[in-house]
Amino acid sequence: MFRTALRNVLAHKGRLLMTMLAVLLGTAFVSGTLVFSDTMGQALRTQNSKSYADIAVTVSDRTAMGPGYDHGGSADDGPTLTEDVRRKIAALPGTADARGVVSGFTGIADKKGALIGDGFSTTGTNYVPGADGTDQRYPLVEGRGPKDAGEIALDTRTAEKGGYKVGDTVRAAVNGPVMQLKLTGTLHTNDPRVMAGGSLAAFDTATAQQLFLSPGQYSELDVKAKPGTDDATLLADVKQALPQGDNLQAKTGRELAAEQDRMIGKLTKMLNLFFLGFAGISLFVGIFIIANTFTMLVAQRTKELALLRAVGATRRQITRSVKIEAVLVGLTASVGGLVAGIGIAVGLRTLLNGPMDANLPDGPLVIAPTTVLVALAVGVLVTLVAAWLPARRASRIAPVAAMSASEQPATQKSLRVRNAVGLLFTLAGAAALAAGVSGKEVKLVGLGTAALLLGVFVLTPLLSRPLIALLAPMLRAVYGTPGKLAQENAVRNPRRTAATASALTIGVTLITSLTVIGASVNKAVDTSSDSDIKADYTVAMANGSDLSAEAAAQIAKAPGVSAVSAERGLRVTLGEDKGEAHGEDGADREWLTAVNPATIDQLATIKIKEGSADALKQGKLLVSSGRSEQAGYKVGSTLAVTYPDGTKGSLTVGGVLEANTALAGVIAPENVVGPHARPGSGLNKVLVKGEHGATEQLKQALRDATGGNPLIKVKGQQDIKAESRQAITNTLNLMYGLLGMSVVIAVLGVVNTMAMSVFERRREIGMLRAIGLDRLGIRRMVRLESLLIALFGGLVGVGLGVLSAWAVVRTLASDLTGLSTVVPPLQIAGFLLAAAVIGLLAALWPAHRAAKLDILDSIKSE
């Protein structure tokens, strides 16, 4: 039977080609993901180990978060890393050197004033020269390191992007006006943030402390051990030398490297899961093609299989023969998929390091034995699972009955059972979906959606006749006999039509669902922006860090400004003060958003659900309805508060706000809580209203008022909407690209089914030619049949996609104001048009092949 199976594979290799391609593409997706993530993970771990190679112990200060950052603690949080602490640790017997590190954000503008980098990885640090005048952490490529407040050094990539050379004047900024600094040198760094496309700006230590922390303070101390000193021993000595306080943490370099390795492992695992999810979708689509192919092969070999039964082959042997064929097909395709996956990984790394300028760390290509085994196992198992049912059907062919027919028609009983099972799943899924949506139960919505989708997929043979019947009249009216024949062929075998269309349905369902969700979120953002925000512009840092505390006053003086309110975040303790029992993540810690009570009503829409609209002007709190329900804050409640500066007081809840995206959580008057912020704390953002509305003149005036800082972004409502739309569009484009593989596999399925169907109906096509249907008519018949199958799959996919998106949107409606289901008609029509084009293109080769068949050879064929 093994020889028989091998002979069958070789004899039908042309008919199995599309199936092999489907498995190959799916396994290529899997192996490419594993190879790329393993390669990237290994390179990052190697780079990480180099970063900590010379560090025995690192001491970090969690309160040193950069300029104006309010970490939510109190004034008595404990000591900081000062120069005295550094000297004390440097004097330990086992210490060879104790380097004080200062870090924060620094924006570097190119010569046109645009920010270099994305804002989140624009790094600033201190340059620490040794006895030879150089800093070993940042090797000089050209020039020298900075020595005073008027100098700066840049990494080579940033200098190249900005067009700067040693001696040029560089425009740099932290959270205030732009500084004009002399470029004294260019540096090399392996900082992953810089390697990923960010920038590095190095200052002398005193300047860095002034910009990011306070004079004499460090973010971190990196301790190097003397030869022969054990890291653990040095760590114990360092801990003894540190002032008491929970904000100072000391760890060995090996511990930090291990932590970073674990983070890298989590990152690569998340990357794997994300991409493997789409690979799974592609393989699932491939199952329909494989099952369809083997079903058709078994039907075409009915006489051959019956003859084997007649000469003594058992049912088990017939089943085993088909399974061996599946294993051979899966193994061959998996080997090709593994090779293709390695090529995909190499190409992806080249693309990211080339045109996309991701600058991933170099390292050897990692092809782990696990990757090889997984790729081969997945391909073989998917093929074997898909061929299991056709193999069982092959074993049930009766020798005598099968010898009298070329194909055994499917029994109506099996279709009735399938329809009953599908109807059961559909009803159960619909009930669970309705219950989940009404109760806002995400898990129940997920289970209901999955059951409903499964039920509809099972019911596709039943749905094929009525849906295709809706499409057929137009084809008959336009194309006459070929259109009528195409309809009859499309519904002749409902199982085959359903299996072919289902592969396309999966991709259309997912794409439609994502599109509807994206359109719904876009509409909600636009609506909330229009209804919740009255401000013409929002001024904030591009990287999410704090603006300087003086920004609001500077902006208020800009020409054309009529109203300004800064938003400042303060993390306080609300309720009974329990002293040290309060942890940073404790349930009684609360973020207050401080606003200007005199102007906030001109800049944001305030709709009161309970209490007074003048609560802020009366020195009281406003609480959003969502936060009120979560925390139990009621109008009139008096709450004990401990402020970040350590002072204590009480605040009264004066009103509850209706849902508002501009004002969420707990809102407090700036004149009451602002004086209790930590010294040097900054602002989250500044809302601005113009005398003449949003104008380019006002926008430029706001840029000028903030010193032309490239890190500070001035955004109007249209800018905010455009950013939101762009983020959603980018996400959708990524998803579409990843789902594209499943669509390609679905197209292969249509091609495969139509090609095998032509072979199966050779005699029928010959008879049609003999009674007068010309070659053009044959081509039209095959193309229109493919078109009907593709449109059927597209219609079902669009319906399921809209339904799934509706369930998701209804579930998320309470989290996003104004969220409702929006179905974009043009895009939905585009998906159906794409399905039609796919059907027509997929039929080109089968239709050409059918039209070229010889009439006499076709009629006498068996």
Side-chain angles (χ1 to χ4, degrees), residues 223-298:
V223 184
K224 185 183 294 186
K226 289 181 179 179
T229 301
D230 180 67
D231 289 356
T233 302
L234 182 57
L235 175 64
D237 293 341
V238 168
K239 286 183 175 179
Q240 288 292 327
L242 287 176
Q244 294 300 310
D246 293 337
N247 53 306
L248 301 183
Q249 297 178 342
K251 295 182 179 180
T252 65
R254 285 195 297 268
E255 288 175 330
L256 288 173
E259 286 181 4
Q260 291 294 321
D261 283 347
R262 285 193 291 271
M263 290 179 63
I264 292 169
K266 289 181 180 178
L267 172 66
T268 54
K269 184 178 180 180
M270 290 173 60
L271 187 70
N272 270 342
L273 291 175
F274 179 73
F275 286 110
L276 288 177
F278 289 93
I281 294 171
S282 299
L283 289 168
F284 182 66
V285 170
I287 286 177
F288 289 90
I289 298 173
I290 299 164
N292 216 15
T293 300
F294 276 94
T295 298
M296 296 177 75
L297 284 175
V298 166

Side-chain angles (χ1 to χ4, degrees), residues 60-76:
S60 58
D61 181 355
R62 70 180 180 87
T63 66
M65 295 294 195
Y69 182 87
D70 187 352
H71 69 97
S74 300
D76 58 356

Side-chain angles (χ1 to χ4, degrees), residues 127 140 142-148 150-154 165-168 170 181-187 202:
Y127 187 82
L140 284 169
E142 188 179 0
R144 61 170 177 81
K147 295 181 179 179
D148 57 48
E151 298 180 340
I152 191 174
L154 300 176
K165 296 181 180 179
V166 173
D168 286 351
V170 175
L181 305 173
K182 179 181 178 182
L183 181 63
T184 62
T186 56
L187 315 168

Side-chain angles (χ1 to χ4, degrees), residues 336-362:
L338 176 62
V339 175
I342 294 171
I344 289 173
V346 173
L348 184 58
R349 187 167 68 167
T350 302
L351 175 67
L352 290 173
N353 280 335
M356 298 185 70
D357 198 28
N359 201 30
L360 297 176
D362 293 329

Side-chain angles (χ1 to χ4, degrees), residues 487-850:
Q487 178 200 0
E488 293 176 352
N489 289 333
V491 297
R492 177 188 297 182
N493 191 328
R495 284 191 182 88
R496 183 181 303 171
T497 299
T500 306
S502 293
L504 184 60
T505 297
I506 295 170
V508 176
T509 298
L510 295 171
I511 289 173
T512 301
S513 180
L514 290 171
T515 302
V516 172
I517 293 172
S520 302
V521 172
N522 273 332
K523 180 65 175 178
V525 171
D526 288 352
T527 302
S528 62
S529 179
D530 292 334
S531 62
D532 295 345
I533 301 175
K534 296 180 180 178
D536 294 315
Y537 290 102
T538 299
V539 183
M541 298 290 284
N543 53 24
S545 61
D546 284 352
L547 281 165
S548 65
E550 296 78 21
Q554 295 168 345
I555 290 170
K557 296 176 183 178
V561 173
S562 63
V564 168
S565 176
E567 286 193 10
R568 183 205 302 267
L570 293 89
R571 199 169 192 196
V572 302
T573 301
L574 285 182
E576 242 182 17
D577 184 13
K578 301 175 184 177
E580 295 182 359
H582 294 301
E584 183 166 345
D585 298 322
D588 51 3
R589 285 293 179 91
E590 183 74 73
W591 277 103
L592 298 183
T593 300
V595 298
N596 186 340
T599 59
I600 190 61
D601 57 347
Q602 302 176 49
L603 300 161
T605 302
I606 298 179
K607 294 182 180 179
I608 298 298
K609 191 174 183 180
E610 297 176 40
S612 171
D614 294 327
L616 292 175
K617 295 178 181 178
Q618 297 167 3
K620 298 179 181 179
L621 301 177
L622 283 178
V623 183
S624 65
S625 57
R627 189 65 191 130
S628 174
E629 292 174 4
Q630 292 174 359
Y633 298 143
K634 306 290 184 182
V635 174
S637 299
T638 299
L639 305 173
V641 58
T642 302
Y643 292 106
D645 65 354
T647 60
K648 301 180 186 296
S650 63
L651 292 170
T652 302
V653 177
V656 176
L657 286 169
E658 290 187 8
N660 187 306
T661 55
L663 297 172
V666 181
I667 301 93
E670 167 68 23
N671 57 331
V672 173
V673 302
H676 302 295
R678 288 179 62 86
S681 64
L683 310 174
N684 297 72
K685 59 185 175 183
V686 178
L687 302 177
V688 182
K689 187 78 173 175
E691 293 175 352
H692 306 290
T695 63
E696 281 300 317
Q697 292 81 0
L698 176 59
K699 193 172 186 179
Q700 186 58 50
L702 296 177
R703 291 196 190 102
D704 295 339
T706 53
N709 187 332
L711 272 176
I712 297 177
K713 297 300 180 184
V714 180
K715 301 176 186 177
Q717 289 197 33
Q718 294 304 317
D719 298 321
I720 295 172
K721 292 177 184 178
E723 275 192 5
S724 173
R725 287 184 174 276
Q726 187 60 48
I728 292 173
T729 299
N730 291 340
T731 302
L732 289 178
N733 288 339
L734 173 63
M735 297 295 184
Y736 292 157
L738 294 172
L739 289 171
M741 185 72 77
S742 63
V743 175
V744 170
I745 293 175
V747 173
L748 295 178
V750 178
V751 175
N752 197 38
T753 299
M754 297 308 303
M756 295 185 72
S757 180
V758 166
F759 178 85
E760 192 176 73
R761 303 201 304 256
R762 288 180 65 192
R763 177 178 291 183
E764 177 186 317
I765 292 172
M767 291 296 295
L768 289 172
R769 290 291 313 283
I771 62 176
L773 191 62
D774 59 11
R775 294 181 186 273
L776 178 60
I778 294 294
R779 278 197 292 267
R780 281 180 175 171
M781 178 188 71
V782 175
R783 289 173 185 168
L784 293 176
E785 179 184 351
S786 177
L787 173 65
L788 285 172
I789 293 173
L791 279 175
F792 167 58
L795 282 171
V796 176
V798 165
L800 291 175
V802 171
L803 182 62
S804 302
W806 170 82
V808 173
V809 168
R810 285 295 301 273
T811 306
L812 299 176
S814 60
D815 298 323
L816 183 58
T817 306
L819 183 62
S820 60
T821 305
V822 176
V823 181
L826 292 179
Q827 288 175 281
I828 297 301
F831 296 152
L832 291 175
L833 178 61
V837 171
I838 285 172
L840 291 173
L841 292 178
L844 288 178
W845 176 60
H848 176 77
R849 183 181 177 190

